[in-house]
Short mmCIF file of all heavy atoms in Angstrom, two decimals:
data_model
loop_
_atom_site.label_atom_id
_atom_site.label_comp_id
_atom_site.label_asym_id
_atom_site.label_seq_id
_atom_site.Cartn_x
_atom_site.Cartn_y
_atom_site.Cartn_z
N THR A 223 158.92 154.39 67.83
CA THR A 223 159.73 155.36 67.09
C THR A 223 160.24 156.50 67.97
O THR A 223 160.95 157.37 67.47
CB THR A 223 158.91 155.96 65.94
OG1 THR A 223 157.73 156.58 66.48
CG2 THR A 223 158.49 154.87 64.96
N SER A 224 159.87 156.50 69.24
CA SER A 224 160.27 157.62 70.10
C SER A 224 161.79 157.69 70.23
O SER A 224 162.48 156.66 70.27
CB SER A 224 159.64 157.47 71.49
OG SER A 224 160.08 156.29 72.12
N ARG A 225 162.28 158.91 70.27
CA ARG A 225 163.72 159.19 70.38
C ARG A 225 164.53 158.39 69.35
O ARG A 225 165.52 157.73 69.66
CB ARG A 225 164.21 158.89 71.79
CG ARG A 225 163.64 159.84 72.84
CD ARG A 225 164.28 159.64 74.19
NE ARG A 225 164.03 158.31 74.72
CZ ARG A 225 164.62 157.80 75.80
NH1 ARG A 225 165.52 158.52 76.45
NH2 ARG A 225 164.33 156.60 76.22
N MET A 226 164.06 158.48 68.10
CA MET A 226 164.79 157.88 66.98
C MET A 226 165.01 156.37 67.18
O MET A 226 166.10 155.85 67.00
CB MET A 226 166.14 158.58 66.77
CG MET A 226 166.02 160.04 66.41
SD MET A 226 165.29 160.28 64.78
CE MET A 226 166.53 159.53 63.73
N HIS A 227 163.95 155.67 67.56
CA HIS A 227 164.01 154.22 67.74
C HIS A 227 165.04 153.82 68.80
O HIS A 227 165.74 152.80 68.65
CB HIS A 227 164.34 153.51 66.42
CG HIS A 227 163.39 153.80 65.31
ND1 HIS A 227 162.24 153.07 65.11
CD2 HIS A 227 163.40 154.76 64.33
CE1 HIS A 227 161.59 153.54 64.05
NE2 HIS A 227 162.27 154.57 63.56
N SER A 228 165.13 154.58 69.87
CA SER A 228 166.20 154.37 70.85
C SER A 228 166.10 152.99 71.52
O SER A 228 167.13 152.36 71.79
CB SER A 228 166.17 155.46 71.91
OG SER A 228 164.93 155.48 72.60
N ALA A 229 164.90 152.51 71.80
CA ALA A 229 164.76 151.21 72.46
C ALA A 229 165.27 150.09 71.56
O ALA A 229 165.99 149.19 72.01
CB ALA A 229 163.29 150.97 72.84
N TYR A 230 164.91 150.15 70.28
CA TYR A 230 165.40 149.14 69.33
C TYR A 230 166.91 149.22 69.17
O TYR A 230 167.60 148.19 69.17
CB TYR A 230 164.72 149.33 67.97
CG TYR A 230 165.48 148.69 66.84
CD1 TYR A 230 165.51 147.31 66.68
CD2 TYR A 230 166.22 149.48 65.95
CE1 TYR A 230 166.24 146.73 65.65
CE2 TYR A 230 166.94 148.91 64.92
CZ TYR A 230 166.95 147.53 64.77
OH TYR A 230 167.68 146.96 63.76
N ARG A 231 167.43 150.42 69.05
CA ARG A 231 168.88 150.58 68.86
C ARG A 231 169.64 150.03 70.07
O ARG A 231 170.71 149.41 69.91
CB ARG A 231 169.23 152.05 68.63
CG ARG A 231 168.66 152.62 67.33
CD ARG A 231 169.06 154.08 67.17
NE ARG A 231 168.29 154.74 66.15
CZ ARG A 231 168.56 154.71 64.84
NH1 ARG A 231 169.60 154.02 64.43
NH2 ARG A 231 167.80 155.36 63.98
N MET A 232 169.11 150.25 71.26
CA MET A 232 169.77 149.74 72.46
C MET A 232 169.72 148.21 72.49
O MET A 232 170.72 147.56 72.82
CB MET A 232 169.09 150.31 73.71
CG MET A 232 169.75 149.90 75.02
SD MET A 232 171.45 150.51 75.17
CE MET A 232 171.15 152.29 75.27
N ALA A 233 168.58 147.63 72.11
CA ALA A 233 168.46 146.18 72.08
C ALA A 233 169.42 145.57 71.06
O ALA A 233 170.09 144.56 71.33
CB ALA A 233 167.02 145.78 71.76
N LEU A 234 169.52 146.20 69.88
CA LEU A 234 170.41 145.68 68.84
C LEU A 234 171.87 145.81 69.28
O LEU A 234 172.68 144.91 69.04
CB LEU A 234 170.18 146.44 67.53
CG LEU A 234 170.97 145.92 66.32
CD1 LEU A 234 170.52 144.51 65.95
CD2 LEU A 234 170.79 146.86 65.13
N LYS A 235 172.19 146.89 69.93
CA LYS A 235 173.56 147.11 70.40
C LYS A 235 173.99 146.02 71.38
O LYS A 235 175.16 145.63 71.43
CB LYS A 235 173.66 148.49 71.06
CG LYS A 235 175.06 148.84 71.57
CD LYS A 235 175.07 150.23 72.18
CE LYS A 235 176.45 150.58 72.72
NZ LYS A 235 176.47 151.94 73.34
N HIS A 236 173.03 145.53 72.17
CA HIS A 236 173.33 144.50 73.16
C HIS A 236 172.99 143.10 72.66
O HIS A 236 172.83 142.18 73.46
CB HIS A 236 172.59 144.80 74.46
CG HIS A 236 173.13 145.99 75.19
ND1 HIS A 236 172.70 147.28 74.94
CD2 HIS A 236 174.10 146.10 76.13
CE1 HIS A 236 173.37 148.13 75.71
NE2 HIS A 236 174.22 147.44 76.44
N THR A 237 172.87 142.96 71.33
CA THR A 237 172.69 141.64 70.72
C THR A 237 174.06 141.17 70.26
O THR A 237 174.64 141.73 69.33
CB THR A 237 171.72 141.72 69.52
OG1 THR A 237 170.44 142.16 69.98
CG2 THR A 237 171.57 140.36 68.86
N PHE A 238 174.57 140.13 70.91
CA PHE A 238 175.94 139.70 70.64
C PHE A 238 176.02 138.45 69.77
O PHE A 238 177.09 137.92 69.56
CB PHE A 238 176.66 139.47 71.98
CG PHE A 238 176.69 140.70 72.86
CD1 PHE A 238 175.90 140.76 73.98
CD2 PHE A 238 177.47 141.79 72.50
CE1 PHE A 238 175.91 141.91 74.78
CE2 PHE A 238 177.49 142.93 73.28
CZ PHE A 238 176.71 142.99 74.43
N ASP A 239 174.87 138.00 69.29
CA ASP A 239 174.83 136.87 68.36
C ASP A 239 174.40 137.40 67.00
O ASP A 239 174.22 138.60 66.81
CB ASP A 239 173.85 135.82 68.89
CG ASP A 239 174.12 134.43 68.32
OD1 ASP A 239 174.89 134.33 67.34
OD2 ASP A 239 173.55 133.46 68.85
N ALA A 240 174.21 136.52 66.05
CA ALA A 240 173.69 136.92 64.74
C ALA A 240 172.29 137.49 64.90
O ALA A 240 171.56 137.14 65.83
CB ALA A 240 173.67 135.72 63.80
N ALA A 241 171.92 138.38 64.01
CA ALA A 241 170.61 139.03 64.08
C ALA A 241 170.22 139.50 62.70
O ALA A 241 171.06 139.72 61.82
CB ALA A 241 170.64 140.20 65.05
N ILE A 242 168.91 139.65 62.51
CA ILE A 242 168.37 140.28 61.30
C ILE A 242 167.81 141.63 61.74
O ILE A 242 166.76 141.68 62.38
CB ILE A 242 167.27 139.44 60.64
CG1 ILE A 242 167.78 138.03 60.34
CG2 ILE A 242 166.78 140.11 59.36
CD1 ILE A 242 166.73 137.11 59.73
N PRO A 243 168.52 142.71 61.47
CA PRO A 243 168.06 144.03 61.94
C PRO A 243 166.76 144.46 61.27
O PRO A 243 166.35 143.92 60.24
CB PRO A 243 169.23 144.95 61.54
CG PRO A 243 170.39 144.05 61.32
CD PRO A 243 169.81 142.77 60.80
#
Side-chain angles (χ1 to χ4, degrees):
T223 58
S224 62
R225 293 188 297 171
M226 297 293 295
H227 302 273
S228 60
Y230 160 73
R231 295 181 194 276
M232 183 63 67
L234 185 65
K235 181 179 179 181
H236 289 87
T237 298
F238 301 107
D239 202 347
I242 304 178

